[in-house]
Amino acid sequence: MTPPADMLPDPDGVLPTRSTAADPAAAATATRFVARWARPDLPAAQWRADVRLYAVPGYADLLDTVDPANVPATRITAPGRVVTATPERAEVDVGTDAGVLRVVCVRDGQRWLVATLGMPKDTRR
């Protein structure tokens, strides 16, 4: 049986999600996060404080282990574009000088926060 065209698989492979109209605030959050993430020249403490503002607590804790000198991007080349969205979750592609990043945002009450960041599967080699 083929799922309806508006049913998209969850990238985690757990549950299907029904795509809905994109919330521009999710793309804005993803873009602001990547703008702060793509600064490998910052002192680690400042970099971590800046990216924490836009991350869910668990992801913020993971980012505390990152050495910003290892971040490959230094600037955004294209603003965030929502790829899939539900009322509670959005996947946003943000272009950088190191390639396109896929930012997963989740709604935390009235605001969007970043849950994870990676390369979209269709751009990996």
Coordinates of all heavy atoms in Angstrom, one line a residue, residues 9-102:
P9 N 8.1 10.2 5.4 CA 8.7 9.4 6.4 C 9.5 10.3 7.4 O 10.1 11.2 7.0 CB 9.6 8.4 5.7 CG 9.9 9.1 4.4 CD 8.7 9.9 4.1
D10 N 9.4 9.9 8.7 CA 10.3 10.6 9.6 C 11.7 10.2 9.4 O 12.0 9.0 9.2 CB 9.8 10.1 11.0 CG 10.6 10.8 12.1 OD1 11.8 11.1 12.0 OD2 9.9 11.2 13.2
P11 N 12.6 11.2 9.3 CA 14.0 10.8 9.0 C 14.6 9.9 10.0 O 15.6 9.2 9.8 CB 14.8 12.2 9.1 CG 13.8 13.2 9.3 CD 12.4 12.6 9.5
D12 N 14.1 9.8 11.2 CA 14.5 8.9 12.2 C 13.9 7.5 12.0 O 14.3 6.5 12.7 CB 14.2 9.3 13.6 CG 14.7 10.7 14.0 OD1 15.8 11.0 13.5 OD2 14.0 11.5 14.6
G13 N 13.0 7.4 11.1 CA 12.4 6.1 10.8 C 11.4 5.6 11.8 O 11.1 4.4 11.8
V14 N 10.9 6.5 12.7 CA 10.1 6.1 13.7 C 8.6 6.2 13.4 O 7.8 5.3 13.5 CB 10.4 6.9 15.0 CG1 9.5 6.5 16.2 CG2 11.8 6.6 15.4
L15 N 8.2 7.4 13.1 CA 6.8 7.7 12.8 C 6.6 8.5 11.5 O 7.5 9.3 11.2 CB 6.2 8.5 13.9 CG 6.2 7.9 15.3 CD1 5.8 8.9 16.4 CD2 5.2 6.7 15.4
P16 N 5.5 8.3 10.8 CA 5.3 9.2 9.7 C 4.8 10.6 10.2 O 4.3 10.7 11.2 CB 4.1 8.5 8.9 CG 3.5 7.7 9.9 CD 4.5 7.3 11.0
T17 N 5.1 11.5 9.4 CA 4.7 12.9 9.7 C 3.9 13.5 8.6 O 4.2 13.2 7.4 CB 5.9 13.8 10.0 OG1 6.8 13.8 8.9 CG2 6.7 13.4 11.2
R18 N 2.9 14.2 8.8 CA 2.1 14.8 7.8 C 2.6 16.2 7.6 O 2.7 17.0 8.5 CB 0.6 14.9 8.2 CG -0.3 15.2 7.1 CD -1.7 15.0 7.5 NE -2.1 13.7 7.7 CZ -2.4 12.8 6.8 NH1 -2.5 13.2 5.5 NH2 -2.8 11.6 7.0
S19 N 3.1 16.5 6.4 CA 3.7 17.8 6.1 C 2.6 18.9 6.1 O 1.5 18.7 5.6 CB 4.4 17.8 4.8 OG 5.1 19.0 4.6
T20 N 2.9 20.0 6.7 CA 1.9 21.1 6.8 C 2.6 22.4 6.3 O 3.8 22.4 5.9 CB 1.4 21.4 8.2 OG1 2.6 21.7 9.0 CG2 0.7 20.1 8.8
A21 N 1.9 23.5 6.3 CA 2.5 24.7 5.8 C 3.6 25.1 6.7 O 3.6 24.9 7.9 CB 1.4 25.8 5.9
A22 N 4.7 25.6 6.1 CA 5.9 25.9 6.8 C 5.7 27.2 7.6 O 5.1 28.2 7.2 CB 7.0 26.1 5.8
D23 N 6.2 27.1 8.9 CA 6.2 28.3 9.7 C 7.5 29.1 9.5 O 8.6 28.5 9.7 CB 6.1 27.9 11.2 CG 6.1 29.0 12.2 OD1 6.4 30.2 11.8 OD2 5.8 28.8 13.3
P24 N 7.4 30.3 9.0 CA 8.7 31.1 8.7 C 9.5 31.2 9.9 O 10.8 31.4 9.8 CB 8.2 32.4 8.1 CG 6.7 32.4 8.2 CD 6.2 31.0 8.7
A25 N 9.0 31.2 11.1 CA 9.8 31.3 12.3 C 10.8 30.2 12.5 O 11.9 30.3 13.0 CB 8.9 31.4 13.5
A26 N 10.4 29.0 12.0 CA 11.3 27.8 12.0 C 12.5 28.1 11.2 O 13.7 27.9 11.6 CB 10.6 26.6 11.6
A27 N 12.3 28.6 9.9 CA 13.4 28.9 9.1 C 14.3 30.0 9.6 O 15.5 30.0 9.5 CB 12.9 29.3 7.7
A28 N 13.7 31.0 10.3 CA 14.4 32.1 10.9 C 15.3 31.6 12.0 O 16.5 32.0 12.1 CB 13.5 33.2 11.3
T29 N 14.8 30.7 12.8 CA 15.5 30.1 13.9 C 16.7 29.3 13.4 O 17.8 29.5 13.9 CB 14.6 29.3 14.8 OG1 13.7 30.1 15.5 CG2 15.5 28.5 15.9
A30 N 16.5 28.5 12.4 CA 17.5 27.7 11.8 C 18.6 28.6 11.3 O 19.8 28.3 11.5 CB 17.0 26.8 10.8
T31 N 18.3 29.6 10.6 CA 19.2 30.6 10.0 C 20.0 31.3 11.1 O 21.3 31.4 11.0 CB 18.5 31.6 9.1 OG1 17.8 30.8 8.0 CG2 19.5 32.5 8.4
R32 N 19.4 31.7 12.1 CA 20.1 32.4 13.2 C 21.1 31.4 13.9 O 22.2 31.8 14.2 CB 19.1 33.0 14.2 CG 18.4 34.3 13.7 CD 17.7 35.0 14.8 NE 16.6 34.3 15.3 CZ 15.3 34.3 14.9 NH1 15.0 35.1 13.8 NH2 14.4 33.6 15.4
F33 N 20.6 30.2 14.1 CA 21.5 29.2 14.7 C 22.7 29.0 13.9 O 23.8 29.0 14.4 CB 20.7 27.9 15.0 CG 21.6 26.8 15.5 CD1 21.8 26.7 16.8 CD2 22.1 25.9 14.6 CE1 22.6 25.7 17.4 CE2 23.0 24.9 15.1 CZ 23.2 24.8 16.5
V34 N 22.5 28.7 12.6 CA 23.7 28.4 11.7 C 24.6 29.6 11.7 O 25.8 29.4 11.6 CB 23.2 27.9 10.3 CG1 24.4 27.8 9.4 CG2 22.5 26.6 10.5
A35 N 24.1 30.8 11.7 CA 24.9 32.0 11.6 C 25.8 32.1 12.9 O 27.0 32.5 12.8 CB 24.1 33.3 11.6
R36 N 25.3 31.6 14.0 CA 26.2 31.6 15.2 C 27.1 30.3 15.2 O 28.2 30.4 15.8 CB 25.3 31.6 16.4 CG 24.8 33.0 16.7 CD 23.5 33.1 17.4 NE 23.0 34.5 17.5 CZ 22.4 35.2 16.6 NH1 22.2 34.7 15.4 NH2 22.0 36.4 16.8
W37 N 26.6 29.2 14.7 CA 27.4 28.0 14.6 C 28.6 28.1 13.7 O 29.7 27.6 14.0 CB 26.5 26.9 14.2 CG 27.1 25.5 14.0 CD1 27.3 24.6 15.0 CD2 27.6 25.0 12.8 NE1 27.9 23.5 14.5 CE2 28.1 23.7 13.1 CE3 27.6 25.4 11.5 CZ2 28.6 22.8 12.2 CZ3 28.2 24.6 10.5 CH2 28.7 23.3 10.9
A38 N 28.4 28.8 12.6 CA 29.5 28.9 11.6 C 30.5 30.0 11.9 O 30.8 30.9 11.1 CB 28.8 29.2 10.2
R39 N 31.0 30.0 13.1 CA 32.0 31.0 13.5 C 33.2 30.2 14.3 O 33.3 30.3 15.5 CB 31.4 32.0 14.4 CG 30.4 32.8 13.7 CD 29.7 33.9 14.5 NE 29.2 33.3 15.7 CZ 28.8 34.0 16.8 NH1 29.0 35.3 16.8 NH2 28.3 33.5 17.8
P40 N 34.0 29.5 13.5 CA 35.0 28.6 14.1 C 36.1 29.4 14.8 O 36.9 28.9 15.5 CB 35.5 27.8 13.0 CG 35.2 28.6 11.7 CD 33.9 29.3 12.1
D41 N 36.2 30.7 14.5 CA 37.3 31.5 15.1 C 36.9 32.1 16.5 O 37.8 32.7 17.1 CB 37.6 32.7 14.1 CG 36.3 33.5 13.8 OD1 35.2 33.0 13.9 OD2 36.5 34.7 13.4
L42 N 35.7 31.9 16.9 CA 35.4 32.4 18.3 C 36.0 31.6 19.4 O 36.2 30.4 19.2 CB 33.8 32.4 18.5 CG 33.0 33.4 17.8 CD1 31.6 33.3 18.2 CD2 33.5 34.8 18.2
P43 N 36.2 32.2 20.5 CA 36.6 31.4 21.7 C 35.5 30.4 22.0 O 34.3 30.7 21.9 CB 36.8 32.4 22.8 CG 37.0 33.7 22.1 CD 36.2 33.6 20.8
A44 N 35.9 29.2 22.5 CA 34.9 28.2 22.7 C 33.7 28.6 23.6 O 32.6 28.3 23.4 CB 35.6 26.9 23.2
A45 N 34.1 29.3 24.7 CA 33.0 29.7 25.7 C 32.0 30.6 25.0 O 30.8 30.4 25.2 CB 33.6 30.3 26.9
Q46 N 32.4 31.5 24.2 CA 31.5 32.4 23.6 C 30.7 31.7 22.5 O 29.5 31.9 22.4 CB 32.2 33.6 22.9 CG 31.3 34.6 22.3 CD 32.1 35.8 21.6 OE1 33.3 35.9 21.8 NE2 31.3 36.6 20.9
W47 N 31.3 30.9 21.7 CA 30.6 30.1 20.7 C 29.5 29.2 21.3 O 28.4 29.2 20.9 CB 31.6 29.2 19.9 CG 31.1 28.4 18.8 CD1 30.9 28.8 17.5 CD2 30.5 27.1 18.9 NE1 30.3 27.8 16.8 CE2 30.1 26.7 17.6 CE3 30.4 26.1 19.9 CZ2 29.6 25.5 17.3 CZ3 29.9 24.9 19.7 CH2 29.5 24.6 18.4
R48 N 29.9 28.5 22.4 CA 28.9 27.7 23.1 C 27.7 28.5 23.6 O 26.6 28.0 23.5 CB 29.6 26.9 24.2 CG 30.5 25.8 23.6 CD 31.3 25.1 24.6 NE 32.2 24.1 23.9 CZ 33.4 23.9 24.3 NH1 34.0 24.6 25.3 NH2 34.2 23.1 23.6
A49 N 28.0 29.6 24.3 CA 26.9 30.4 24.8 C 26.0 30.9 23.7 O 24.8 30.9 23.9 CB 27.5 31.6 25.6
D50 N 26.6 31.3 22.6 CA 25.7 31.8 21.4 C 24.9 30.7 20.8 O 23.7 31.0 20.5 CB 26.6 32.4 20.4 CG 27.3 33.7 20.8 OD1 26.9 34.2 21.9 OD2 28.1 34.2 20.1
V51 N 25.4 29.5 20.6 CA 24.6 28.5 20.0 C 23.6 27.9 20.9 O 22.5 27.5 20.5 CB 25.4 27.3 19.3 CG1 26.2 27.9 18.2 CG2 26.3 26.6 20.3
R52 N 23.9 27.9 22.2 CA 22.9 27.4 23.3 C 21.6 28.1 23.2 O 20.6 27.6 23.6 CB 23.5 27.6 24.7 CG 24.2 26.4 25.2 CD 24.6 26.6 26.6 NE 25.0 25.3 27.2 CZ 24.2 24.3 27.6 NH1 22.9 24.5 27.6 NH2 24.7 23.2 28.1
L53 N 21.6 29.4 22.9 CA 20.4 30.2 22.9 C 19.3 29.7 22.0 O 18.2 29.9 22.2 CB 20.7 31.7 22.4 CG 21.7 32.5 23.3 CD1 22.0 33.8 22.6 CD2 21.0 32.7 24.7
Y54 N 19.7 28.9 21.0 CA 18.8 28.4 19.9 C 18.6 26.9 20.0 O 18.0 26.4 19.1 CB 19.3 28.8 18.6 CG 19.3 30.3 18.4 CD1 20.4 31.1 18.6 CD2 18.1 31.0 18.1 CE1 20.4 32.5 18.6 CE2 18.0 32.4 18.0 CZ 19.2 33.1 18.2 OH 19.1 34.5 18.1
A55 N 19.2 26.2 20.9 CA 19.2 24.7 21.0 C 18.3 24.2 22.1 O 18.2 24.8 23.2 CB 20.6 24.2 21.1
V56 N 17.7 23.0 21.9 CA 17.0 22.3 23.0 C 18.1 21.9 24.0 O 19.2 21.8 23.6 CB 16.2 21.1 22.5 CG1 15.1 21.5 21.5 CG2 17.1 20.1 21.8
P57 N 17.7 21.8 25.2 CA 18.7 21.5 26.3 C 19.6 20.3 26.0 O 20.9 20.4 26.2 CB 17.9 21.2 27.5 CG 16.6 22.1 27.3 CD 16.4 22.0 25.8
G58 N 19.1 19.2 25.5 CA 19.9 18.0 25.2 C 21.0 18.3 24.1 O 22.1 17.9 24.2
Y59 N 20.5 19.0 23.1 CA 21.5 19.3 22.0 C 22.5 20.4 22.5 O 23.6 20.3 22.1 CB 20.7 19.8 20.8 CG 21.6 19.9 19.5 CD1 22.3 18.8 19.1 CD2 21.6 21.0 18.8 CE1 23.1 18.8 18.0 CE2 22.4 21.1 17.6 CZ 23.2 20.0 17.2 OH 23.9 20.0 16.1
A60 N 22.0 21.3 23.3 CA 23.0 22.3 23.8 C 24.1 21.6 24.6 O 25.2 22.0 24.5 CB 22.2 23.3 24.7
D61 N 23.7 20.6 25.4 CA 24.7 19.9 26.2 C 25.7 19.2 25.2 O 26.9 19.2 25.5 CB 24.0 18.8 27.1 CG 23.3 19.5 28.2 OD1 23.5 20.7 28.5 OD2 22.5 18.7 28.8
L62 N 25.2 18.6 24.1 CA 26.1 18.0 23.2 C 27.0 19.0 22.5 O 28.2 18.8 22.3 CB 25.3 17.3 22.1 CG 26.1 16.6 21.0 CD1 26.9 15.4 21.6 CD2 25.1 16.0 19.9
L63 N 26.5 20.2 22.2 CA 27.3 21.3 21.6 C 28.4 21.7 22.6 O 29.4 22.2 22.1 CB 26.4 22.4 21.2 CG 25.5 22.2 20.0 CD1 24.5 23.3 19.9 CD2 26.3 22.0 18.7
D64 N 28.2 21.5 23.9 CA 29.3 21.9 24.8 C 30.5 21.1 24.6 O 31.6 21.4 25.1 CB 28.8 21.7 26.3 CG 27.9 22.9 26.7 OD1 27.9 23.9 26.1 OD2 27.2 22.7 27.8
T65 N 30.4 19.9 23.9 CA 31.6 19.1 23.7 C 32.3 19.4 22.4 O 33.3 18.8 22.1 CB 31.2 17.6 23.7 OG1 30.4 17.3 22.5 CG2 30.4 17.2 24.9
V66 N 31.7 20.3 21.6 CA 32.3 20.7 20.3 C 33.4 21.7 20.4 O 33.3 22.7 21.2 CB 31.2 21.2 19.4 CG1 31.7 21.8 18.1 CG2 30.1 20.2 19.1
D67 N 34.5 21.5 19.7 CA 35.5 22.5 19.6 C 35.2 23.3 18.3 O 35.2 22.8 17.2 CB 36.9 21.9 19.4 CG 38.0 22.9 19.2 OD1 37.7 24.1 19.1 OD2 39.2 22.4 19.2
P68 N 34.8 24.6 18.5 CA 34.4 25.4 17.3 C 35.4 25.5 16.2 O 35.1 25.7 15.1 CB 34.0 26.8 17.9 CG 34.6 26.8 19.3 CD 34.8 25.4 19.7
A69 N 36.7 25.3 16.6 CA 37.7 25.3 15.5 C 37.5 24.2 14.5 O 38.0 24.3 13.4 CB 39.1 25.2 16.2
N70 N 36.7 23.2 14.9 CA 36.4 22.0 13.9 C 35.2 22.3 13.1 O 34.9 21.4 12.3 CB 36.3 20.7 14.7 CG 37.6 20.3 15.4 OD1 38.6 20.5 14.8 ND2 37.5 19.8 16.6
V71 N 34.5 23.4 13.3 CA 33.3 23.7 12.5 C 33.8 24.0 11.1 O 34.6 25.0 10.9 CB 32.5 24.8 13.1 CG1 31.4 25.3 12.2 CG2 31.9 24.4 14.5
P72 N 33.3 23.3 10.0 CA 33.8 23.6 8.7 C 33.3 24.8 8.0 O 33.9 25.4 7.1 CB 33.4 22.3 7.9 CG 32.1 21.9 8.6 CD 32.3 22.2 10.1
A73 N 32.2 25.4 8.4 CA 31.6 26.5 7.8 C 32.0 27.8 8.5 O 32.2 27.9 9.7 CB 30.0 26.4 7.8
T74 N 32.0 28.9 7.7 CA 32.4 30.2 8.2 C 31.3 31.3 7.9 O 31.4 32.4 8.5 CB 33.7 30.7 7.7 OG1 33.6 30.8 6.2 CG2 34.9 29.8 8.0
R75 N 30.4 30.9 7.0 CA 29.3 31.9 6.7 C 28.1 31.2 6.1 O 28.3 30.1 5.5 CB 29.8 33.0 5.8 CG 30.3 32.6 4.5 CD 30.9 33.7 3.7 NE 31.4 33.2 2.4 CZ 30.7 33.0 1.3 NH1 29.4 33.3 1.3 NH2 31.3 32.5 0.2
I76 N 27.0 31.9 6.1 CA 25.8 31.4 5.4 C 25.8 31.9 4.0 O 26.2 33.0 3.7 CB 24.5 31.9 6.2 CG1 24.4 31.2 7.5 CG2 23.3 31.7 5.3 CD1 23.2 31.7 8.3
T77 N 25.5 31.0 3.1 CA 25.4 31.4 1.7 C 23.9 31.5 1.1 O 23.7 32.0 0.1 CB 26.2 30.5 0.8 OG1 25.7 29.1 0.9 CG2 27.7 30.5 1.2
A78 N 23.0 30.9 1.9 CA 21.6 30.9 1.5 C 20.8 30.8 2.8 O 21.1 29.9 3.7 CB 21.3 29.7 0.6
P79 N 19.7 31.6 2.9 CA 18.9 31.5 4.2 C 18.2 30.2 4.2 O 18.0 29.5 3.3 CB 18.0 32.7 4.0 CG 17.9 32.9 2.5 CD 19.2 32.6 2.0
G80 N 17.6 30.0 5.4 CA 16.9 28.7 5.7 C 15.7 28.6 4.8 O 15.0 29.5 4.5
R81 N 15.5 27.3 4.3 CA 14.3 26.9 3.5 C 13.7 25.7 4.1 O 14.4 24.7 4.2 CB 14.8 26.7 2.1 CG 13.7 26.2 1.1 CD 14.2 25.9 -0.3 NE 15.1 24.8 -0.3 CZ 14.8 23.5 -0.3 NH1 13.5 23.2 -0.3 NH2 15.7 22.5 -0.3
V82 N 12.5 25.8 4.5 CA 11.8 24.6 5.1 C 11.6 23.6 4.1 O 11.0 23.8 3.0 CB 10.5 25.1 5.8 CG1 9.7 23.8 6.3 CG2 10.7 26.1 6.9
V83 N 12.0 22.3 4.4 CA 11.9 21.2 3.5 C 10.6 20.4 3.9 O 9.9 20.0 3.0 CB 13.1 20.3 3.6 CG1 13.0 19.1 2.7 CG2 14.4 21.1 3.3
T84 N 10.4 20.1 5.1 CA 9.2 19.5 5.6 C 8.8 20.1 6.9 O 9.7 20.6 7.7 CB 9.4 17.9 5.8 OG1 10.3 17.7 6.9 CG2 9.8 17.2 4.6
A85 N 7.5 20.1 7.2 CA 7.1 20.7 8.5 C 5.8 20.1 9.0 O 5.0 19.6 8.2 CB 6.9 22.2 8.3
T86 N 5.7 20.0 10.3 CA 4.5 19.7 11.0 C 4.3 20.9 12.0 O 5.2 21.7 12.1 CB 4.5 18.4 11.8 OG1 5.5 18.5 12.8 CG2 4.9 17.3 10.9
P87 N 3.2 21.0 12.7 CA 3.1 22.1 13.6 C 4.2 22.1 14.7 O 4.4 23.1 15.3 CB 1.7 21.8 14.3 CG 0.9 21.1 13.2 CD 1.9 20.2 12.5
E88 N 4.8 20.9 15.0 CA 5.8 20.8 16.1 C 7.2 20.5 15.6 O 8.1 20.6 16.5 CB 5.3 19.6 17.0 CG 4.0 19.8 17.6 CD 3.8 21.1 18.5 OE1 4.8 21.4 19.2 OE2 2.8 21.8 18.4
R89 N 7.4 20.3 14.3 CA 8.8 19.9 13.9 C 9.0 20.5 12.5 O 8.1 20.4 11.6 CB 8.9 18.4 13.9 CG 10.2 17.9 13.5 CD 10.2 16.3 13.6 NE 11.4 15.7 13.5 CZ 12.0 15.4 12.4 NH1 11.5 15.6 11.3 NH2 13.2 14.8 12.4
A90 N 10.2 21.0 12.2 CA 10.5 21.4 10.8 C 11.9 21.1 10.5 O 12.8 21.2 11.3 CB 10.3 22.9 10.7
E91 N 12.1 20.6 9.3 CA 13.4 20.4 8.7 C 13.8 21.6 7.8 O 13.0 21.8 6.9 CB 13.5 19.1 8.0 CG 13.4 17.9 8.9 CD 13.6 16.6 8.2 OE1 14.2 16.5 7.1 OE2 13.1 15.6 8.8
V92 N 14.9 22.2 8.1 CA 15.2 23.4 7.3 C 16.6 23.3 6.7 O 17.6 22.9 7.4 CB 15.2 24.7 8.3 CG1 15.5 25.9 7.5 CG2 13.9 24.8 9.0
D93 N 16.8 23.5 5.4 CA 18.1 23.5 4.8 C 18.6 24.9 4.8 O 17.9 25.9 4.4 CB 18.0 23.0 3.4 CG 17.8 21.5 3.3 OD1 17.9 20.8 4.3 OD2 17.6 21.0 2.2
V94 N 19.9 25.1 5.3 CA 20.6 26.4 5.3 C 21.9 26.2 4.5 O 22.7 25.3 4.8 CB 20.8 26.8 6.7 CG1 21.6 28.2 6.7 CG2 19.6 26.9 7.5
G95 N 22.1 27.0 3.5 CA 23.3 27.0 2.8 C 24.5 27.6 3.5 O 24.3 28.7 4.1
T96 N 25.6 27.0 3.5 CA 26.9 27.6 4.0 C 28.0 27.4 3.0 O 27.9 26.6 2.0 CB 27.3 26.9 5.4 OG1 27.8 25.6 5.1 CG2 26.1 26.8 6.3
D97 N 29.1 28.0 3.3 CA 30.3 27.8 2.5 C 30.9 26.4 2.6 O 31.8 26.1 1.8 CB 31.3 28.9 2.7 CG 31.8 29.0 4.1 OD1 31.2 28.3 5.0 OD2 32.8 29.7 4.4
A98 N 30.4 25.6 3.5 CA 30.8 24.2 3.6 C 29.8 23.2 3.1 O 29.9 22.0 3.2 CB 31.1 23.9 5.1
G99 N 28.7 23.8 2.5 CA 27.6 22.9 2.0 C 26.3 23.2 2.7 O 26.2 24.1 3.6
V100 N 25.3 22.5 2.2 CA 23.9 22.7 2.8 C 23.8 21.9 4.1 O 24.2 20.8 4.2 CB 22.9 22.2 1.8 CG1 21.5 22.3 2.4 CG2 22.9 23.1 0.5
L101 N 23.3 22.6 5.1 CA 23.1 21.9 6.4 C 21.6 21.7 6.6 O 20.8 22.6 6.2 CB 23.6 22.8 7.6 CG 25.1 23.1 7.5 CD1 25.4 24.0 8.7 CD2 25.9 21.8 7.7
R102 N 21.2 20.6 7.1 CA 19.8 20.3 7.5 C 19.7 20.5 9.0 O 20.3 19.8 9.8 CB 19.5 18.8 7.1 CG 18.2 18.3 7.5 CD 17.0 18.8 6.7 NE 17.1 18.8 5.3 CZ 16.7 17.8 4.4 NH1 16.2 16.7 4.9 NH2 16.9 18.0 3.1

